[in-house]
Amino acid sequence: MMELFEAIAKRHSYRGEFQNQPIPREDLRKIVEAGIMAPSGCNHQTTFFIIVDEPDLLKNVADLIGKPVCYSAKAMIVCVADPGKEYRDISFFREDCAAAVENMLLAVTAMGYATVWLDGNIRFGVDEQIGALLGVPKNYSVRIVLPLGVPVTQGTPNKKLSFEKRAWFNGYEKE
């Protein structure tokens, strides 16, 4: 398995086709366990995960999302959040879900798989349709879907601005 900083450097959003190679459930479990281990506001652990690997169900979810990357995915991880848990009228479910997904993105990369974080595509009712299909309680929210598999082609990470253009010590220094 890849070293952490190598996985961070190699992680990218993969929107290509996946090989016709199943992902062992043991690997899917490890990926989701990485998400479960993410930090959570007040340790409320508001994010839950549905692993979809049954072919007909995968196709149904892909049809709802309508993105080409979904049709060859060998599994999808659907991230579900409980927006109801609060601390002083603040809910951390968005942050909790994002932290969990980042852990899973790094695990996916380290294990030689690829994925893309889908959330904009599932808003405006598609999230509710996916939730209904998968039996998600109505008071929970489908937030992110990760279609995954073994990539046909190796992608490359987008270029990032340098440290000097995005980070400073002891104060904001951007010109």
Side-chain angles (χ1 to χ4, degrees):
M1 192 169 314
M2 206 177 284
E3 186 264 340
L4 174 64
F5 286 95
E6 181 183 1
I8 291 170
K10 287 187 174 184
R11 195 225 49 86
H12 64 283
S13 296
Y14 182 79
R15 293 176 178 84
E17 192 171 337
F18 295 110
Q19 294 180 27
N20 189 18
Q21 180 179 333
I23 301 173
R25 282 195 167 180
E26 179 180 313
D27 288 358
L28 293 167
R29 183 181 181 101
K30 283 181 188 177
I31 292 164
V32 170
E33 284 176 344
I36 289 169
M37 297 305 297
S40 172
C42 300
N43 198 32
H44 280 166
Q45 303 178 48
T46 61
T47 307
F48 303 90
F49 310 91
I50 300 170
I51 304 163
V52 179
D53 66 352
E54 194 279 319
D56 288 338
L57 196 52
L58 278 169
K59 184 182 179 325
N60 290 338
V61 175
D63 286 342
L64 289 171
I65 296 172
K67 291 290 181 183
V69 68
C70 295
Y71 287 101
S72 63
K74 297 305 164 204
M76 290 187 201
I77 298 170
V78 178
C79 303
V80 176
D82 175 2
K85 290 192 176 181
E86 295 180 353
Y87 172 75
R88 295 186 181 175
D89 296 327
I90 300 170
S91 178
F92 297 103
F93 74 97
R94 288 178 186 87
E95 293 86 348
D96 293 355
C97 190
V101 168
E102 180 62 15
N103 276 13
M104 291 189 297
L105 293 174
L106 294 175
V108 164
T109 301
M111 295 173 73
Y113 299 112
T115 190
V116 61
W117 172 326
L118 299 177
D119 72 352
N121 324 44
I122 66 168
R123 295 184 192 186
F124 312 110
V126 173
D127 52 348
E128 293 170 4
Q129 292 174 325
I130 293 170
L133 180 67
L134 300 177
V136 174
K138 290 202 181 284
N139 58 325
Y140 283 24
S141 173
V142 172
R143 300 293 304 170
I144 296 166
V145 176
L146 300 176
L148 61 134
V150 177
V152 169
T153 60
Q154 293 303 313
T156 55
N158 289 327
K159 298 283 184 202
K160 304 294 181 187
L161 294 174
S162 69
F163 180 93
E164 292 73 23
K165 291 185 178 182
R166 291 188 64 194
W168 308 274
F169 289 99
N170 304 315
Y172 189 88
E173 296 179 18
K174 190 166 183 174
E175 296 176 37

